[in-house]
Structures are given as C-alpha cells and as structure tokens.
Amino acid sequence: MKKIFLCLMAVAMMVSCQNDDSDFTDYMEQGGGETPPVSTIHTISIAYNGNAVTVTGDDKGFVTTDGAHVTVNTATDTDSLLLVLSGSSDNGSLLVWRGKKYGIQLNGVTLNNANGPAINNQCKKGLYLYVNTGTVNTLTDGTTYATLTNTSGEAVSQKGALFSEGQIYLMGNGTLNVTGNCRHAIASDDYIIIEDNITLNVKTSTGTGIKVNDGLWINNGTIDIDVTADAARGIKSDSVVVITGGTTTITTSGDCVYDEEEDDYSSAACIKCDRDFTMTGGTLTMTSSGDGGKGINTSGKVDFSGGTLTATTTGDNEEGKPKAIKAMTGINISGGTFSAKVSKSWACDSGYGDDSTSDSDRLDHCVTVTGNPAVATITKKNVNISY
C-alpha cells in the first residue's frame, strides 16, 4: 500500500505539469517516490499519416517502422523516455520494449490495428499515459490477432486494444476512446489508476471493457463503459476495485453462458472483482440487461461509505440469477446514496443463506447499515439507502 500511496502522491503533481514535455518527463522520473537519477530526457515524437509515420527526436535509433507499425526498443536504456503520438492510421500500431517506467502523451492520435493491439506495452514497469487537453484520441484493435514473438521466439501477450504488461496510470484532460474487437478493450497484467479529468470511453463486443490483474483505482475522470458480449464484464479485476471520485457509467447487455470448467452458468457483470469493492466518493451508475446479469459481483465484500451508487438489472432469470449487488462476504453501507434494483431475483445478495433460507431471514441480512440514514428502504427487489 505504501507503493500505491506514493504513486498517487506523484500523480497529484501532474496537475501543475500541464502539457510541458520536460515537466511531464521529470514527473515520470519521480513517480513512486523515487529520487530521479541524473539522466537525459529523451522525447520521441511519432506522427502517423496513413500507412507511414514521421519520427523526430530518435537520435539513438530506438525506433523501427514497418509502414505505420512502430516498434520502440529501449530495453537497456536508462534515460527518461516520453513518446508523443499524433496523427491517424487505419493500419498502424505502437509496440514498446523497455525495462523501466516511461510516458506516452496522446496528442490527437487515431490508431487502428487490424492484426493486434493499437498500443502494446511490453514494459513491466509503470506506463504513464497522458491524454493532452483538448485532444480526442482513438485506439481500436482487430477481430483477430497475428502471433507476436520476442527475440527468444516466445509468444508475446496481446490482450486488448490498449495492453500493458505493467501498471497503467491514465491521466490528463483530453478524451480517449478505446474499442476492443478481439479480447478486451483495455488490459493490464498489473494495476490501473485513473486520475485527472480524463474522459474515457470504452466499448467491446467480445470481452471485458477494463481488465486488470492487481486492482483498479478510479480517483477522477468521466468514464463510460459499454459491453455487449455474453458473460462479459465492464470491469474485471482479479484483485480489488476502489472508487474515490469521478463519474463512471457501465452498461452490459450480454446473457449467461455455460462454463464447462466451473460446471455452472457465467453471467455478465458491470463490475466483477475477486477481492473487495470499496467506494468512498464519486458517482457510479450500472445497468445490466442480460439474463442473470449483475451490477457488482465480488468474491469479497462491498464497503460503500460515500458518493452515489446506482445499480439496476432488468434481465431475466432463466439460466442465471440477476443481482444488482452480489458480495460473498457482506455488503456494508455507512454513507452516501446507495440504490440497487432488480426486475427478478434479489437486489442485494450478501452471501448469507441459500435457496433454502427464508426470504424474511435473508432480507434481514442482505445489507449492513451503519449510522442514521435519512432514507432506508430495504425490500427484496429494491434497496435504497441515503444519508
């Protein structure tokens, strides 16, 4: 947690950096609370233009191109690195190999890669992705991915239109649109932190909107996630999901599918996490319309203490059981405005009891309310708590 705290402190410093390349790179060098070594700021600008690119600032020969497909290899370099992307290509991409953290500025870029991710970050350290003020940026992948291998002949991970082996810090005051057509839209094998006033629009009809292994923190921004695939998730975290601010809207419309490994049906969910879901501020609106769909589905607990949370499921219960909020180890409410509604099944499922438990007993345990809310309506299909 110390690492996360220090990273968040560093991210807060970004406000004063605005769009200045030098300040931005200096900030990146100090990310995580480290003392920056004496190094040279290395800024490389990549301007896409159809099937070609113009590269400036690459005085060390890090960049290679194949049409508009760009590879940046700084695996052994110790200097700070900032990549500035602009322009447009219907057949372009960015692949980065690097051993230490670095930054990418999106300065009005549109990238579509028919054979893989639009941006593929093969650095296991932090990627600081800054969306410049007043710019609109679009990343789209293809419906199938070509196999990609490293110098050892090993297959390289490609999990979404925007994919990173390491952490992603999404920042800035511009707009980023990401569409996933093969797997996920945005994916990180580490964690993702969303900051500043970024506008993030995420769509997929094949997988998850935002997929993370080690947690997702939403601290600010305007985020819209629309997922239409069966059994897909707006957000899927193998760890925690924490929301402290911003405005997040998630819509899923996919139905259940049978999971042979689990010998059970798997349903779509706006948020699916394997550990706790925590919300202390901001606005979160979730709508799920598919059979058995969920608003939040967590293997841990839900702790809600501030902000506004609205979860609505309108799906049927032919194969799955729709729930607005499902938490296996409890749903705790102590502040803010909390609303959960369903057309079928239970609005809130805290993991208490089973189908043999009486409705009245289950209702008594569906949520734990602390303090003195101004409104407290708790029924099977409607839970509304407001402080």
Side-chain angles (χ1 to χ4, degrees), residues 195-386:
E195 282 284 350
D196 290 346
N197 292 313
I198 187 172
T199 297
L200 180 62
N201 300 311
V202 178
K203 292 185 178 181
T204 179
S205 58
T206 57
T208 298
I210 300 177
K211 170 66 175 70
V212 293
N213 286 7
D214 295 336
L216 172 66
W217 282 260
I218 299 175
N219 298 322
N220 208 345
T222 301
I223 302 153
D224 188 282
I225 302 173
D226 187 358
V227 176
T228 59
D230 290 343
R233 285 75 195 243
I235 293 170
K236 172 62 173 72
S237 171
D238 295 343
S239 182
V240 300
V241 172
V242 179
I243 298 178
T244 66
T247 300
T248 303
T249 303
I250 308 173
T251 304
T252 64
S253 56
D255 288 327
C256 287
V257 297
Y258 186 71
D259 187 329
E260 293 185 357
E261 290 186 5
E262 298 294 332
D263 191 24
D264 198 2
Y265 284 92
S266 178
S267 60
C270 294
I271 297 176
K272 177 70 173 72
C273 53
D274 293 344
R275 291 176 60 189
D276 295 345
F277 170 88
T278 303
M279 183 168 177
T280 62
T283 300
L284 172 63
T285 304
M286 298 169 289
T287 304
S288 180
S289 60
D291 180 58
K294 311 289 191 299
I296 295 175
N297 185 0
T298 174
S299 301
K301 66 180 183 296
V302 167
D303 282 327
F304 178 79
S305 61
T308 300
L309 182 155
T310 304
T312 305
T313 64
T314 60
D316 212 332
N317 57 354
E318 294 179 3
E319 304 294 350
K321 296 180 179 179
K323 310 280 177 64
I325 309 292
K326 179 182 178 182
M328 295 306 295
T329 59
I331 301 170
N332 306 308
I333 304 169
S334 59
T337 299
F338 177 100
S339 175
K341 298 179 181 179
V342 294
S343 298
K344 301 285 181 69
S345 190
W346 285 81
C348 291
D349 181 352
S350 66
Y352 175 85
D354 52 32
D355 290 341
S356 64
T357 305
S358 69
D359 281 3
S360 60
D361 193 17
R362 198 168 178 178
L363 193 61
D364 287 341
H365 294 84
C366 72
V367 294
T368 300
V369 179
T370 302
N372 299 302
V375 176
T377 301
I378 303 175
T379 66
K380 180 177 179 179
K381 296 183 179 181
N382 179 26
V383 174
N384 187 7
I385 310 295
S386 181

Side-chain angles (χ1 to χ4, degrees), residues 148-167:
L148 180 67
T149 57
N150 59 22
T151 55
S152 300
E154 301 168 325
V156 173
S157 293
Q158 304 180 90
K159 298 180 181 179
L162 169 57
F163 172 66
S164 176
E165 285 281 356
Q167 315 97 37

